[in-house]
Amino acid sequence: MFQEATALDDIAVKVDCVSKSFTQWHRKEGKRGIFNQEKKIVTAIDNVSFQIRHGEFVAYAGPNGAGKSTTMKLLSGMLQPTEGSVSVLGMSPEKDRIALMKKLGVLFGNRTELWWDHPVIQSFEWKKVVWNITDETYRRNLDMVTELLDIGEIRNTFARELSLGQRMRADLAMMLLHSPELILLDEPTLGLDVVAKRQMIDFLKKINQEAGVTIMVTSHDMDDLEEMAQRILMISKGKLAYDGSFDGLREITGNLTHFTVTTDGRIPELEGCRCLGGQHGVFEYEVDLSRLSIQVLLERLSHTAGIMDVEIRKAPIEQVITQLYQVWKCGGSAQVTAPPAS
């Protein structure tokens, strides 16, 4: 089985005032040749600080180019910070990379470690030898990932012949063979179909909840992140913009709520609510419960003629995040504050 995570009071990841800048060369406007270029410093991560405790499942989100992948590469030792310090499982990714990788698993959704022209099982066996995984650990973990990720039928298939979903499951299985204590996942559900995505999410939740594996995951699918993680870190233009719960995000953006009403055919007119559409007597509305309390909403619904049924639910987290992105894109303040814990 996986290494048991230590006490929840221990810190698995500590990022302290970290910045990462890159140098880019641009050709001057209207000029040609190598001597007509100018240097530009691009800051991908700007004074970011956060901590993740052992056993947490944390989502890391933000618009394209916000600095998500750069952060993952800093944590795994693929890049070094320009300023600040990074500690992962009590080690420096830069100085202790070999020792760290024995406890760390990393998966980028657009890359693979599988040998392209060999059966999947040969890639697994190669890792066993190179990583010096014991026979007992290898067999135990291979059996587990084979069953839970449903890769029994593809273990002897050439990697080049796998579908995207099959390849992602095989890559995840390979990443877990050495029993990592912490795993970093960059877009693990990218391009997966509904079934493959379901398998991936269920497996990640299982190893987090049952084995205490610490997980940090990025994705553009906010609904997936909300289902998997208990906490979300949001980054915008290289700066940490939010650290808290998904419910906290909804409160910041106005506590948007959707509800569906079934009527006798009439379209209800509900003050303070926006009709999103509907037909055949079923209509969907949006309401901001920070402006119109649930008590007032229910009272208005009870006094509206023709309503036969009501279903109330939270607005999709995707919509909440989109609103934040629009604020940031238009130059609004990136920093938002999580509501105090109840």
Side-chain angles (χ1 to χ4, degrees):
M1 196 57 182
F2 292 95
Q3 301 174 21
E4 288 296 330
T6 53
L8 288 175
D9 289 338
D10 294 340
I11 302 300
V13 175
K14 184 177 181 181
V15 175
D16 189 15
C17 301
V18 167
S19 296
K20 178 60 181 178
S21 299
F22 298 92
T23 299
Q24 293 183 348
W25 289 92
H26 295 263
R27 192 171 64 192
K28 294 180 180 178
E29 187 91 22
K31 303 289 185 178
R32 293 185 178 182
I34 61 174
F35 298 108
N36 289 300
Q37 298 185 32
E38 56 186 2
K39 182 168 66 174
K40 181 180 180 181
I41 303 298
V42 177
T43 300
I45 300 293
D46 188 4
N47 194 32
V48 168
S49 297
F50 62 83
Q51 295 182 355
I52 297 175
R53 296 186 183 280
H54 282 279
E56 279 196 282
F57 198 141
V58 177
Y60 195 56
N64 287 330
K68 301 187 299 297
S69 294
T70 298
T71 303
M72 291 297 202
K73 291 175 182 178
L74 288 169
L75 295 179
S76 61
M78 298 170 66
L79 295 173
Q80 284 75 52
T82 305
E83 296 178 359
S85 63
V86 176
S87 174
V88 179
L89 300 177
M91 293 176 275
S92 165
E94 179 181 0
K95 300 177 181 178
D96 308 310
R97 191 176 183 193
I98 294 178
L100 176 60
M101 292 309 294
K102 293 180 180 180
K103 296 185 176 183
L104 183 67
V106 183
L107 178 62
F108 288 87
N110 57 350
R111 299 180 184 177
T112 182
E113 287 191 81
L114 300 172
W115 288 6
W116 205 239
D117 292 316
H118 293 268
V120 169
I121 193 65
Q122 288 193 8
S123 295
F124 291 179
E125 292 171 351
W126 167 85
K127 180 171 182 175
K128 175 184 181 298
V129 174
V130 174
W131 286 63
N132 196 28
I133 302 172
T134 66
D135 291 342
E136 180 184 0
T137 299
Y138 175 77
R139 177 52 55 190
R140 183 176 62 241
N141 286 341
L142 179 60
D143 290 344
M144 181 194 67
V145 296
T146 297
E147 177 184 356
L148 296 181
L149 287 171
D150 191 23
I151 60 170
E153 294 184 357
I154 65 172
R155 290 200 318 191
N156 294 310
T157 302
F158 282 71
R160 66 170 184 265
E161 298 175 351
L162 300 177
S163 68
L164 177 58
Q166 291 172 331
R167 197 210 79 200
M168 289 297 297
R169 282 185 283 135
D171 267 312
L172 180 60
M174 183 171 175
M175 182 194 68
L176 297 170
L177 290 176
H178 66 291
S179 300
E181 184 178 338
L182 166 68
I183 60 177
L184 306 174
L185 305 170
D186 192 15
E187 297 286 353
T189 59
L190 184 67
L192 299 186
D193 61 33
V194 174
V195 174
K197 184 182 293 188
R198 181 77 268 152
Q199 289 175 316
M200 178 77 73
I201 291 174
D202 288 346
F203 180 76
L204 294 175
K205 290 169 67 176
K206 186 178 183 67
I207 62 174
N208 170 252
Q209 295 168 3
E210 297 185 7
V213 177
T214 309
I215 302 176
M216 183 175 182
V217 57
T218 76
S219 176
H220 283 94
D221 193 321
M222 303 307 298
D223 292 325
D224 285 353
L225 291 181
E226 184 177 27
E227 182 178 355
M228 289 187 285
Q230 302 93 28
R231 172 185 169 200
I232 180 171
L233 300 170
M234 294 195 65
I235 190 168
S236 173
K237 300 178 182 177
K239 292 181 177 293
L240 190 64
Y242 177 82
D243 180 357
S245 68
F246 288 87
D247 285 340
L249 275 178
R250 287 189 168 89
E251 293 181 30
I252 289 169
T253 55
N255 200 9
L256 288 177
T257 298
H258 286 191
F259 64 93
T260 301
V261 297
T262 302
T263 74
D264 56 7
R266 286 175 280 184
I267 303 177
E269 294 185 6
L270 298 167
E271 183 181 352
C273 305
R274 184 166 71 96
C275 184
L276 302 177
Q279 57 183 344
H280 306 307
V282 179
F283 304 94
E284 183 166 358
Y285 291 80
E286 178 183 273
V287 61
D288 184 347
L289 292 182
S290 67
R291 295 171 179 262
L292 182 70
S293 71
I294 187 67
Q295 292 83 0
V296 174
L297 173 62
L298 291 175
E299 183 179 355
R300 290 181 181 175
L301 287 169
S302 66
H303 288 89
T304 301
I307 293 182
M308 302 166 61
D309 191 22
V310 178
E311 178 186 355
I312 301 177
R313 62 194 180 279
K314 295 177 181 178
I317 193 66
E318 194 78 36
Q319 179 182 352
V320 174
I321 300 300
T322 299
Q323 290 188 354
L324 280 178
Y325 286 176
Q326 289 299 320
V327 172
W328 295 340
K329 185 177 180 180
C330 295
S333 173
Q335 184 68 41
V336 292
T337 304
S342 56

